[in-house]
Amino acid sequence: MRLAPRQGCNLEVRNVRIAIPRMGETVAPCFEYCCTMAIYTTTGRHILDQIDFPIRSREPLDRVRLLRDQKVDTLICGGMQDVFEKMLQGSGFEVISWVSGSVEDLLDMYLRGRLVPGTELPEHGGAGIPGEGRTTEH
Amino acid sequence: MPAPGSVSEAQFFETVLHCVADGVFTVDCDWRITSFNRAAERITGVSAERAVGRRCSEVFHSDLCERGCPIRETLETEQEVIDRSARILTKRGRSIPISVSSAVLRADDGTLLGVVETFRDLSTLEQLRREITSRYTFEDIIGRSEAFQKIFALMPDIAASESTVLIEGPSGSGKELLARAIHNLSQRRTKPYVVVNCGALPTNLFESELFGYERGAFTDARRDKPGRITTAEGGTIFFDEVGDLPLETQVKLLRLLQEREYTPLGSVETRQANVRMVAATNRDLSTLVSQGRFRDDLYFRLAVVRLTIPSLARRREDVPYLVEHFIHSFNAKQGKRIQGVTPAVMEILMRHEFPGNVRELENIIEYAFVLCRNGLIDICHLPDELKTPLGRGDLVPARVSALEESEASAIRQAVLRNRGHVGRTARELRISRTTLWRKMKKHGIRRDDLRCVQDDAEP
């Protein structure tokens, strides 16, 4: 049974697609050469599903196309060339780059609205140092 | 080995490591960096303080981290890895090529301590190779402006498609660079890239040059000659200055675009053209169409995908990035270590109109490289026209009398003649130092100008 939304109360929370290039349990060191792209569908602070896309190609643009095809909203990644960052931002993606640490912890920080570019998390979780890694203009 | 009683062995080796031009670092068995020499700091842009204790993948962001890590291989096989090619990302987000070697590190008792890795920066070599082979990618296109962001956003789709692309932009704005980048990103990148300069090709030779001819087609056609289309088979053909094509040849190009086929002169057989076409022009083709000087059907066939590069004056925010790029490029080509430009020079460049666009900026930097030996490029290293009030925009008040302008010019020339020395300049002009300073201030002759000349004058 579906509940009709009450007037003045927005019950619709938009699904957000988040991509994180991963190397095992940690974020991959370089977006352009990552071998696995994990794509999460989230709503609010909840993860609805996760799909891991293995990538064999060494062509960086294939990763950009994958993000487009999968209608990704946000990319959370480790290192990336400036040119790709500008390209993705120009295409309307939110890019949070030069982060490091566990994928799970980074995603959790993002969903709580605390993840900023350059965040470095210790490998086994913890407070981390937001924005300590690299100065990125956003 | 150090002489007994002089320095400790550790100090000795540390000094040696810091003097080595190649990057050297060591990791423990968990890939955590335990030492990082100065060359490694310089190449990566990461300080030893930040690097030590972190996993090497977090510092190098290499293409080998996930596939073909030499440290992993060395740890697993205990064999050396020699000169493996890799790419790393610097702290500033620049991808640089390196060659890597690695070997195991053992304690005196044979315990495995980790791995030592050395790496060499090959970016200068790569840049020179690119200059020779023209294998540019869109990573070589320097632009942070909104116009370029739009182009970058389209690049993945343009590269994947087979559509004809029309690049519009003023002379010297980088149209051919963009065309080459499109080819080098496409599936056709391993096939030929052929340039046809439509403006330089005589009308009566257009057909034979483009489509080729067969033996006996005309007097002196003693053997078959393949045309540019045949040469570009499987690859990309770039029609530069397509707006300069006369009307009578436009129809021939139109047929090629429409039917994707052509007939060499003297042949009765029609051939299929398996080429991607990219065209560029510095003219406004739509205006030429309305004037009846360019066929509208050809225009619409060419402009399937239309990219417009604005003049440099309309994207001034790209000037600092272009300056950095050209300095890096000329340093590599000329073996110099110019670090950049002074704020005064950047101010002049930011105000300059650049009628010659990016090519003009490149020429200005090249000129400055001739005069500047090291350090920073300053006003004294710029071409004369940029030192004049016209070139320097509104650094000098616009409404000055001719007399005041003559005074300003005389002071500027004297300052340059005396290599920035205030005392000598004042003596030459027969005025006091105080008066000279006051007049320099009045005419907007900056103190930075003098510093530059003095610095550069030092041996």
Side-chain angles (χ1 to χ4, degrees):
Chain A
M1 190 180 77
R2 286 183 64 186
L3 292 172
R6 277 178 293 177
Q7 206 170 12
C9 174
N10 184 11
L11 289 181
E12 274 188 37
V13 180
R14 195 176 77 89
N15 287 357
V16 176
R17 304 266 283 165
I18 303 160
I20 307 181
R22 65 189 301 160
M23 183 172 72
E25 297 308 308
T26 58
V27 67
C30 185
F31 164 78
E32 291 93 301
Y33 304 109
C34 69
C35 297
T36 308
M37 187 79 75
I39 297 184
Y40 300 86
T41 308
T42 65
T43 181
R45 288 188 183 181
H46 306 286
I47 299 167
L48 298 179
D49 68 45
Q50 176 200 340
I51 305 170
D52 280 359
F53 289 88
I55 305 172
R56 290 198 182 145
S57 156
R58 292 187 77 84
E59 171 57 60
L61 284 184
D62 286 340
R63 282 135 184 95
V64 177
R65 291 188 194 105
L66 174 69
L67 300 184
R68 280 190 179 179
D69 294 347
Q70 290 300 314
K71 298 187 169 38
V72 165
D73 301 291
T74 302
L75 171 71
I76 298 170
C77 65
M80 83 187 305
Q81 283 184 65
D82 268 358
V83 68
F84 289 109
E85 191 159 347
K86 300 291 176 201
M87 175 191 279
L88 288 168
Q89 285 169 344
S91 303
F93 292 93
E94 179 190 19
V95 182
I96 302 176
S97 58
W98 296 89
V99 298
S100 63
S102 125
V103 168
E104 200 179 314
D105 294 340
L106 289 166
L107 186 59
D108 181 57
M109 268 186 94
Y110 175 76
L111 294 176
R112 284 188 285 122
R114 289 181 52 206
L115 189 67
V116 294
T119 299
E120 290 176 358
L121 295 181
E123 250 166 67
H124 303 293
I129 322 165
E132 274 284 292
R134 178 182 179 264
T135 313
T136 314
E137 287 170 21
H138 281 273
Chain B
M1 291 294 288
S6 53
V7 288
S8 71
E9 199 172 321
Q11 274 180 315
F12 172 78
F13 284 118
E14 195 178 329
T15 308
V16 171
L17 267 185
H18 282 319
C19 293
V20 174
D22 287 354
V24 182
F25 70 99
T26 54
V27 293
D28 62 18
C29 296
D30 288 327
W31 283 275
R32 290 200 183 278
I33 294 172
T34 49
S35 70
F36 205 70
N37 79 339
R38 281 193 196 132
E41 286 182 315
R42 194 189 66 243
I43 297 168
T44 60
V46 179
S47 67
E49 196 185 354
R50 279 194 66 77
V52 171
R54 300 173 74 191
R55 279 178 174 264
C56 52
S57 62
E58 291 173 12
V59 172
F60 289 94
H61 307 278
S62 165
D63 61 335
L64 295 185
C65 291
E66 294 189 63
R67 284 184 268 213
C69 170
I71 293 177
R72 179 189 295 276
E73 197 174 313
T74 301
L75 279 172
E76 284 173 0
T77 63
E78 300 198 359
Q79 299 288 313
E80 288 180 0
V81 170
I82 307 286
D83 279 343
R84 180 166 295 176
S85 297
R87 296 198 78 89
I88 60 169
L89 288 186
T90 66
K91 197 180 169 188
R92 300 184 65 190
R94 201 162 65 86
S95 171
I96 57 171
I98 56 167
S99 78
V100 183
S101 301
S102 59
V104 286
L105 267 181
R106 286 187 187 284
D108 289 342
D109 61 0
T111 316
L112 185 65
L113 294 175
V115 174
V116 58
E117 186 170 298
T118 63
F119 59 100
R120 180 166 293 179
D121 181 359
L122 301 177
S123 51
T124 303
L125 196 66
E126 184 184 71
Q127 188 166 352
L128 294 175
R129 196 177 292 142
R130 272 189 192 178
E131 298 263 345
I132 295 165
T133 59
S134 298
R135 285 205 63 82
Y136 296 102
T137 74
F138 76 108
E139 293 160 43
D140 296 293
I141 300 167
I142 310 299
R144 299 289 188 275
S145 56
E146 201 184 328
F148 267 95
Q149 281 209 19
K150 282 182 188 165
I151 292 172
F152 286 151
L154 289 172
M155 281 306 244
D157 302 319
I158 294 172
S161 89
E162 285 288 308
S163 304
T164 304
V165 180
L166 176 65
I167 305 167
E168 292 177 307
S171 291
S173 58
K175 296 186 291 294
E176 193 182 347
L177 192 68
L178 192 55
R180 278 185 190 275
I182 290 170
H183 169 71
N184 288 330
L185 279 172
S186 73
Q187 296 296 319
R188 295 174 177 268
R189 60 176 164 264
T190 55
K191 302 288 182 181
Y193 171 85
V194 174
V195 180
V196 178
N197 190 337
C198 301
L201 216 53
T203 311
N204 52 352
L205 288 183
F206 183 83
E207 204 169 352
S208 65
E209 276 295 315
L210 201 61
F211 305 138
Y213 54 80
E214 294 208 334
R215 184 171 168 240
F218 48 83
T219 313
D220 280 348
R222 294 191 182 122
R223 63 183 71 171
D224 293 357
K225 181 181 176 285
R228 306 278 177 98
I229 300 288
T230 314
T231 314
E233 179 66 17
T236 305
I237 188 159
F238 173 55
F239 294 103
D240 200 7
E241 307 301 355
V242 76
D244 294 349
L245 267 185
L247 272 169
E248 57 267 36
T249 44
Q250 287 175 23
V251 68
K252 292 166 187 166
L253 186 58
L254 175 68
R255 182 162 174 258
L256 177 71
L257 279 161
Q258 268 178 340
E259 312 296 335
R260 297 271 160 185
E261 58 183 33
Y262 64 100
T263 310
L265 284 176
S267 173
V268 289
E269 277 180 28
T270 301
R271 297 182 190 172
Q272 289 295 313
N274 175 22
V275 288
R276 184 183 192 181
M277 293 180 217
V278 179
T281 179
N282 61 355
R283 298 183 175 204
D284 184 353
L285 284 193
S286 54
T287 307
L288 292 183
V289 168
S290 61
Q291 291 169 349
R293 291 160 62 195
F294 201 85
R295 292 180 67 108
D296 57 351
D297 42 8
L298 177 59
Y299 171 65
F300 291 116
R301 285 278 171 191
L302 285 172
V304 178
V305 177
R306 202 169 139 196
L307 299 175
T308 305
I309 305 177
S311 66
L312 188 54
R314 286 177 56 203
R315 51 182 183 105
R316 290 182 194 277
E317 61 269 43
D318 286 341
V319 171
Y321 297 102
L322 286 162
V323 168
E324 188 187 337
H325 169 76
F326 289 132
I327 286 175
H328 187 259
S329 167
F330 286 122
N331 272 336
K333 277 192 268 188
Q334 300 185 14
K336 286 190 172 182
R337 283 205 172 182
I338 306 286
Q339 288 156 5
V341 300
T342 63
V345 167
M346 188 57 80
E347 196 175 338
I348 289 174
L349 295 176
M350 290 297 281
R351 288 169 195 272
H352 189 55
E353 282 304 311
F354 290 107
N357 285 292
V358 181
R359 194 178 290 132
E360 184 185 352
L361 176 60
E362 185 180 9
N363 291 346
I364 290 170
I365 301 294
E366 188 172 0
Y367 178 91
F369 257 71
V370 175
L371 300 185
C372 185
R373 280 166 283 177
N374 49 41
L376 296 171
I377 293 171
D378 214 318
I379 295 173
C380 53
H381 305 125
L382 295 179
D384 285 343
E385 61 270 23
L386 285 173
K387 292 178 195 162
T388 63
L390 189 67
R392 296 188 58 171
D394 57 7
L395 283 177
V396 177
R399 298 176 66 189
V400 289
S401 70
L403 188 63
E404 282 181 321
E405 184 41 51
S406 303
E407 184 182 73
S409 176
I411 291 172
R412 206 172 286 117
Q413 293 303 319
V415 165
L416 285 170
R417 264 196 307 278
N418 288 288
R419 303 174 73 81
H421 197 287
V422 180
R424 282 203 292 266
T425 308
R427 271 198 299 280
E428 184 190 319
L429 295 170
R430 296 182 182 177
I431 54 176
S432 71
R433 285 169 63 104
T434 321
T435 307
L436 177 60
W437 280 117
R438 186 167 47 78
K439 286 184 180 293
M440 281 166 58
K441 190 178 174 188
K442 177 184 163 192
H443 294 300
I445 300 169
R446 295 160 62 95
R447 196 183 170 129
D448 289 346
D449 304 6
L450 307 180
R451 279 203 187 117
C452 136
V453 185
Q454 282 171 334
D455 290 349
D456 197 50
E458 286 170 9

